[in-house]
C-alpha cells in the first residue's frame, strides 16, 4: 500500500514538473490569460463544491508551492490556509512515530513474578504507597508502571498506605515555588521529519523559561555544558534556587547534578 502511494506521488510530481517546463517556454500573454482562467475556475469551484479531500500527492504539491507564493496572495490563489499545512505536517510526523499497529490490542498482563514481588513489598512495608514501591522496583531494574503497582495492590486486597503527616506535594511546590528550578527535554519535528531535542529550564515561581539549546543528538556532556551556560547567565540569581526537579533521563548524570548548588 505504501509503495503504491509513493509511486503515485512520484508520478504526480513528475507531471507537475513537466508542466512547469512547458510553462517556462510560453509567452507572457498566454501565461496571464491561463492564470486568469484558472483563478476564475477556482472561484467557481469554491462556491459550488463541498468538502474537498486531497490525496497525498496533492498535499506534497501544495506544500512545495507554499514558499513560492506571498502570504498576502494565499486567499486569492491557494485553496488551503497555513494552518492546514501545519496540520498535515503534524499528522505526517505522528504517523511516522505511531507504533499502535506493531503491538497487540489491549494491555499485556503483569508478569506473575513482578506481581508477587509487589505484594510482598506492600505487606512487609505497610507505610509504603504504590509510588514508593514503584521506585524500589525501578532500583531493582524492574520495568513496570506506577498504575500497575496500584492495580496489583488493589487486586490483592491491600489498602492504600496511610497518609503521612506534613504538607502534600502540591503544598510543597506552592510554598517553595520561588526556589524551584525544573529542567526537561522537549522534541520537535522538522519539515523533513528530523527530530530535534530542546533542553529547557523553567523557574517554578515565575514560570519563566530558559532555552538551554537545540540538538539532534543530545548527550550527557552536551546537557552538562548547557547547564554551565545557564549558570553563567543567571549570575547572582543562582543562589535563590534550592531545588532542581528533573526526571530519570540518562542524560542527566552526576556531572550534571554537581553543576547546580541545589538538591536534585
Amino acid at each position: 500500500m505504501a509503495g503504491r502511494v509513493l509511486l503515485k506521488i512520484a508520478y504526480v510530481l513528475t507531471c507537475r514538473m513537466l508542466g512547469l517546463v512547458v510553462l517556462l517556454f510560453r509567452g507572457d500573454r498566454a501565461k496571464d490569460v491561463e492564470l486568469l482562467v484558472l483563478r476564475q475556475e477556482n472561484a467557481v469551484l469554491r462556491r459550488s463544491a463541498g468538502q474537498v479531500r486531497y490525496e497525498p500527492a496533492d498535499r506534497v504539491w501544495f506544500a512545495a508551492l507554499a514558499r513560492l507564493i506571498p502570504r498576502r496572495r494565499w486567499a486569492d490563489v491557494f485553496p488551503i490556509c497555513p494552518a492546514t499545512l501545519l496540520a498535515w505536517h503534524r499528522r505526517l510526523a505522528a504517523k511516522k512515530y505511531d507504533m499502535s499497529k506493531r503491538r497487540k490490542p489491549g494491555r499485556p498482563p503483569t508478569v506473575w513474578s513482578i506481581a508477587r514481588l509487589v505484594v510482598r513489598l506492600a505487606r512487609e512495608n505497610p507505610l509504603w504507597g504504590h509510588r514508593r514501591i514503584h521506585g524500589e522496583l525501578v532500583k531493582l531494574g524492574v520495568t513496570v508502571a506506577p498504575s500497575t503497582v496500584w492495580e496489583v495492590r488493589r487486586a490483592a486486597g491491600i489498602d492504600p498506605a496511610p497518609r503521612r503527616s506534613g504538607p502534600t506535594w502540591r503544598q510543597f511546590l506552592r510554598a517553595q515555588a520561588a526556589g524551584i528550578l525544573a529542567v526537561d527535554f522537549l522534541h520537535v519535528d522538522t519539515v523533513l521529519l528530523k527530530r530535534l531535542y530542546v533542553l529547557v529550564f523553567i523557574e517554578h515561581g515565575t514560570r519563566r523559561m530558559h532555552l538551554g539549546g537545540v540538538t539532534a543528538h543530545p548527550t550527557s556532556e552536551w546537557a552538562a555544558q548547557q547547564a554551565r551556560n545557564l549558570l553563567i547567565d543567571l549570575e547572582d540569581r543562582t543562589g535563590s534556587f534550592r531545588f532542581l526537579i528533573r526526571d530519570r533521563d540518562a542524560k542527566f548524570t552526576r556531572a550534571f547534578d554537581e553543576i547546580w548548588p541545589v538538591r536534585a
Side-chain angles (χ1 to χ4, degrees):
M1 183 65 181
R4 294 176 58 186
V5 173
L6 292 177
L7 184 61
K8 186 175 182 179
I9 292 176
Y11 171 76
V12 173
L13 291 180
T14 303
C15 294
R16 297 292 191 274
M17 294 302 297
L18 292 176
L20 288 177
V21 172
V22 174
L23 188 63
L24 290 176
F25 292 97
R26 291 187 182 179
D28 294 337
R29 183 176 184 134
K31 294 179 184 178
D32 295 338
V33 173
E34 184 175 350
L35 288 176
L36 290 175
V37 173
L38 293 177
R39 291 182 62 178
Q40 183 63 28
E41 182 182 4
N42 189 23
V44 174
L45 291 176
R46 287 188 184 184
R47 292 196 304 265
S48 58
Q51 184 179 3
V52 181
R53 296 185 178 274
Y54 296 105
E55 298 293 334
D58 302 326
R59 299 178 181 181
V60 173
W61 183 245
F62 283 136
L65 296 178
R67 298 181 61 87
L68 303 179
I69 300 178
R71 186 65 58 85
R72 63 180 182 275
R73 300 287 306 279
W74 275 38
D76 300 329
V77 180
F78 252 49
I80 57 176
C81 59
T84 303
L85 285 178
L86 295 177
W88 289 349
H89 179 262
R90 287 194 297 268
R91 294 174 189 170
L92 189 62
K95 186 179 296 184
K96 176 182 178 181
Y97 299 101
D98 184 15
M99 302 297 179
S100 59
K101 296 182 180 180
R102 301 183 184 180
R103 61 174 183 265
K104 297 180 179 180
R107 189 172 183 177
T110 306
V111 180
W112 180 77
S113 58
I114 297 178
R116 186 178 61 176
L117 181 58
V118 169
V119 173
R120 178 181 176 183
L121 290 174
R123 295 189 186 280
E124 295 180 358
N125 304 275
L127 297 181
W128 287 7
H130 71 281
R131 293 194 177 276
R132 173 64 185 276
I133 296 177
H134 172 260
E136 297 298 327
L137 293 175
V138 171
K139 294 178 183 178
L140 296 175
V142 179
T143 303
V144 64
S147 58
T148 303
V149 177
W150 181 88
E151 182 63 29
V152 171
R153 288 173 54 103
R154 186 190 65 82
I158 303 176
D159 296 331
R163 188 176 184 83
R164 298 182 179 88
S165 60
T168 62
W169 178 244
R170 178 174 296 181
Q171 293 171 343
F172 168 79
L173 291 179
R174 289 179 178 176
Q176 304 293 336
I180 295 177
L181 186 69
V183 58
D184 199 1
F185 275 96
L186 308 178
H187 64 79
V188 293
D189 296 300
T190 64
V191 175
L192 300 179
L193 300 183
K194 180 181 180 180
R195 176 150 292 188
L196 300 178
Y197 295 87
V198 184
L199 182 64
V200 294
F201 299 84
I202 302 178
E203 299 181 24
H204 191 74
T206 61
R207 295 296 193 272
R208 182 180 180 183
M209 179 180 294
H210 303 274
L211 177 62
V214 182
T215 180
H217 304 286
T219 61
S220 57
E221 293 79 8
W222 181 85
Q225 183 59 44
Q226 304 310 314
R228 296 189 189 95
N229 296 340
L230 179 63
L231 199 64
I232 296 175
D233 294 338
L234 293 177
E235 296 179 347
D236 298 337
R237 297 182 54 224
T238 306
S240 61
F241 298 109
R242 298 180 54 204
F243 301 95
L244 175 67
I245 299 179
R246 63 170 178 80
D247 57 15
R248 297 178 180 271
D249 197 308
K251 291 178 284 294
F252 297 135
T253 58
R254 183 181 298 273
F256 181 90
D257 295 336
E258 292 176 351
I259 296 174
W260 295 92
V262 296
R263 308 175 200 174

